[in-house]
């Protein structure tokens, strides 16, 4: 059994076709499909739940409402101030988009779109744009770059600090991208490894394989539950860090 | 394995396009109605609380007012009672005094009446006794005309008696 091929099959994207589009060609892939499903749920189901007045949907409405209010009151406003409340919609979209893509990865036949560097990179890029956009909007172009270096730094350190802070801007978002990607992929790889244990031990002798199987399955279940936690946690962390970075860009002091 | 860490630029484009579109559409279709509903509810709750607080303050004010009024009324009642008691006392004293006075007058007039009656009776009695004496004397005289000496004696005794006991003197005063 080829572990490498197995991992690649389960973890990496499968591109079915490519559409040429100017200088880049747009792939049609499994991860894109999963992203599309997440988007469809967000676009169709969420407004339906929120706008409906039926009692059957009330619990779901309550869940969405509680989450959005939590994001507004605990994540966006504390980090970005009351002006930031206007961005609640952006952060709610980001949170639910990431969360849904994470969760779809846990469903059978699903794939984790957020376990793809291009997807997390794209999300990090939007965060990068948001940070700079709100910073420049709040302080002006010159003010934004002037406040890039924290206050209290001696003047002679500015030539050193300015490039570092500028670089930090990219590193922050790059770290966001890598963090989400690695967290989402790690669980899958661990699960695959636990399952492969059964076959590795089974290759020695079938008795070994049967002995290892229950242990492996138990560990896989545990890891799956852990992944469920991580799915929520990483969506929350991505949103919170975006809010913190954006808040820091808006209010440099 | 390099497919895992080599970002597909096209997919990145898809992601960004997808997310930006979602953010734009959902802010209109989902988050705005949601937050509006929440804000409306928060406002309604705040309004309700404000109304309840106002009503409570009003009720407390009213209660204080009523309490004050009640205390005032109690004070007035007790003062009126005192006044009434005092006036009743006065009235009673007055009545007793009047009764006493009128009783005194009645007693006085009765005494006077009695005195007058007594005098009248005495006068009558004196007259009657005198008449009886005269009649008795007449009889005696009729029986003992010839005994002149007895008559003399009788008058002599009578005179003596009158002298000895003036209170028996008939037709005195």
């Amino acid at each position: 059994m080829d572990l490498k091929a197995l991992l690649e099959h389960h973890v990496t994207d499968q591109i079915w076709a490519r559409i040429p589009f100017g200088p880049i060609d747009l792939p049609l892939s499994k991860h894109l499909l999963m992203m599309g499903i997440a988007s469809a749920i967000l676009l169709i189901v969420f407004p339906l739940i929120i706008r409906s007045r039926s009692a059957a949907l009330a619990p779901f409405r309550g869940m969405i409402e509680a989450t959005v209010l939590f994001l507004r009151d605990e994540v966006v406003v504390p980090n970005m101030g009351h002006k930031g409340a206007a961005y609640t919609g952006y952060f709610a979209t980001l949170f639910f988009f990431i969360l849904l893509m994470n969760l779809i990865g846990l469903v059978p036949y699903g794939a984790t779109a957020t376990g793809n560097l291009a997807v997390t990179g794209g999300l990090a890029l939007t965060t990068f744009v948001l940070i700079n956009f709100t910073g420049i909007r709040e302080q002006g172009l010159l003010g934004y770059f002037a406040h890039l270096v924290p206050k209290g730094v001696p003047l002679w350190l500015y030539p050193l600090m300015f490039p570092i802070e500028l670089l930090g801007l990219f590193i922050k978002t790059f770290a966001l991208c890598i963090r989400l990607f690695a967290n989402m992929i790690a669980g899958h790889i661990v699960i695959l490894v636990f399952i492969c244990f059964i076959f590795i031990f089974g290759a020695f002798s079938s008795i070994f394989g049967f002995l290892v199987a229950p242990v492996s399955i138990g560990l896989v279940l545990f890891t799956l539950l852990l992944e469920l936690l991580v799915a929520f946690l990483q969506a929350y962390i991505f949103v919170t860090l975006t809010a913190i970075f954006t808040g820091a860009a808006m209010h440099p002091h | 394995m390099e497919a895992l860490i080599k970002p597909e630029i096209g997919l990145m484009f898809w992601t960004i396009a997808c997310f930006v579109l979602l953010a734009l559409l959902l802010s209109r279709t989902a988050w705005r109605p949601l937050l509006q509903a929440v804000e409306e509810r928060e406002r309604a709750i705040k309004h309700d609380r404000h109304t309840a607080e106002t009503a409570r303050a009003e009720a407390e004010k009213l209660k204080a007012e009523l309490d004050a009024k009640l205390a005032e009324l109690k004070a007035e009642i007790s003062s009126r009672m005192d006044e009434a008691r005092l006036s009743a006392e006065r009235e009673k004293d007055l009545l007793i005094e009047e009764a006493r006075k009128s009783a005194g007058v009645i007693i006085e007039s009765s005494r006077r009446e009695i005195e007058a009656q007594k005098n009248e009776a005495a006068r009558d009695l004196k007259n009657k006794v005198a008449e009886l004496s005269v009649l008795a004397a007449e009889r005696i005289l009729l029986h003992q005309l010839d005994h002149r000496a007895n008559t003399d004696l009788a008058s002599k005794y009578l005179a003596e008696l009158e002298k000895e006991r003036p209170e028996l003197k008939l037709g005195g005063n």
Side-chain angles (χ1 to χ4, degrees):
Chain A
M1 174 160 285
D2 187 1
L3 183 60
K4 183 171 174 286
L6 193 82
L7 266 177
E8 275 185 355
H9 173 79
H10 281 286
V11 171
T12 60
D13 201 4
Q14 281 141 54
I15 295 167
W16 299 315
R18 287 180 183 277
I19 308 166
F21 182 76
I24 51 172
D25 51 342
L26 302 176
L28 295 179
S29 66
K30 196 173 184 185
H31 284 170
L32 180 65
L33 178 67
M34 297 305 149
M35 199 196 300
I37 292 171
S39 305
I41 292 174
L42 274 174
L43 269 181
I44 297 162
V45 179
F46 271 50
L48 218 72
I49 289 175
I50 286 166
R51 281 154 180 255
S52 93
R53 292 277 166 268
S54 89
L57 291 178
F60 299 101
R61 193 158 58 238
M63 279 153 76
I64 294 172
E65 191 184 298
T67 312
V68 173
L69 287 185
F70 173 80
L71 287 175
R72 187 189 71 179
D73 297 334
E74 307 294 328
V75 175
V76 177
V77 171
N79 286 314
M80 294 168 65
H82 284 284
K83 267 185 184 169
Y87 292 95
T88 304
Y90 177 92
F91 285 93
T93 311
L94 186 62
F95 177 79
F96 282 111
F97 190 44
I98 295 172
L99 178 68
L100 277 174
M101 286 197 287
N102 291 350
L103 289 178
I104 286 170
L106 301 179
V107 174
Y109 297 105
T112 315
T114 37
N116 187 320
L117 260 184
V119 175
T120 56
L123 290 172
L125 216 61
T126 57
T127 294
F128 180 77
V129 171
L130 179 78
I131 292 171
N132 292 297
F133 170 74
T134 51
I136 290 166
R137 189 181 173 189
E138 207 58 35
Q139 308 179 57
L141 192 64
L142 278 175
Y144 176 59
F145 283 107
H147 285 121
L148 214 53
V149 179
K151 227 180 178 182
V153 172
L155 207 65
W156 59 272
L157 266 178
Y158 266 66
L160 187 65
M161 286 300 283
F162 190 74
I164 288 176
E165 288 292 333
L166 208 61
L167 209 64
L169 214 58
F170 291 95
I171 291 169
K172 273 183 211 166
T173 42
F174 186 68
L176 267 185
C177 151
I178 296 296
R179 183 182 298 110
L180 183 57
F181 162 72
N183 271 289
M184 294 327 294
I185 212 93
H188 294 345
I189 292 176
V190 170
I191 285 176
L192 283 171
V193 166
F194 280 142
I195 290 173
C196 284
F197 270 160
I198 302 171
F199 300 102
I200 291 167
F201 282 98
F204 292 130
S205 108
S206 46
I207 302 167
F208 245 176
F210 277 114
L211 281 177
V212 167
V215 182
S216 271
I217 297 299
L219 286 170
V220 165
L221 273 175
F222 170 73
T223 315
L224 208 58
L225 289 177
L226 203 66
E227 273 211 275
L228 194 63
L229 170 71
V230 168
F232 282 91
L233 198 64
Q234 286 307 316
Y236 168 69
I237 286 171
F238 196 100
V239 169
T240 307
L241 287 177
T242 301
I244 289 171
F245 297 154
T246 313
M250 281 168 81
H251 316 285
H253 308 305
Chain B
M1 218 50 192
E2 63 269 14
L4 195 64
I5 51 169
K6 198 185 94 201
E8 184 78 41
I9 301 296
L11 194 61
M12 201 184 268
F13 170 82
W14 277 129
T15 308
I16 293 168
C18 219
F19 177 68
V20 169
L21 239 113
L22 273 178
L24 287 178
L25 286 174
L26 280 182
S27 74
R28 249 164 242 286
T29 56
W31 312 131
R32 193 175 296 165
L34 182 85
L35 289 172
Q36 258 168 12
V38 167
E39 263 157 33
E40 210 165 281
R41 202 167 54 214
E42 275 168 0
R43 209 168 32 238
I45 287 169
K46 202 181 274 178
H47 175 76
D48 282 358
R49 207 168 67 188
H50 180 75
T51 313
E53 263 167 18
T54 314
R56 194 178 140 181
E58 194 95 350
E60 260 166 21
K61 213 177 81 189
L62 215 67
K63 191 177 170 263
E65 238 167 60
L66 282 174
D67 277 351
K69 207 169 262 180
L70 200 69
E72 208 172 275
L73 277 174
K74 259 183 196 161
E76 200 179 330
I77 284 169
S78 87
S79 88
R80 284 260 179 95
M81 289 273 274
D82 281 353
E83 213 169 90
R85 198 171 291 136
L86 228 73
S87 85
E89 201 86 13
R90 233 185 354 251
E91 196 89 350
K92 193 181 89 186
D93 284 354
L94 213 71
L95 278 172
I96 288 171
E97 191 64 33
E98 219 160 84
R100 199 169 281 152
K101 217 180 277 168
S102 72
V105 168
I106 289 168
I107 287 169
E108 191 62 31
S109 75
S110 333
R111 191 175 289 146
R112 216 168 288 144
E113 185 88 356
I114 287 164
E115 195 75 22
Q117 296 259 346
K118 202 177 88 187
N119 285 348
E120 182 98 354
R123 214 169 16 249
D124 270 8
L125 200 63
K126 200 177 88 184
N127 286 347
K128 260 179 196 150
V129 168
E131 211 177 306
L132 279 173
S133 308
V134 171
L135 284 173
E138 214 175 55
R139 294 274 170 96
I140 294 167
L141 277 178
L142 277 177
H143 277 283
Q144 301 183 344
L145 263 181
D146 44 338
H147 301 296
R148 218 174 179 121
N150 287 351
T151 326
D152 287 344
L153 204 60
S155 58
K156 190 180 132 205
Y157 287 156
L158 270 173
E160 267 174 19
L161 274 170
E162 275 180 358
K163 220 173 267 168
E164 267 170 29
R165 299 179 62 180
E167 73 268 19
L168 287 177
K169 192 177 172 188
L170 301 168
N173 301 350

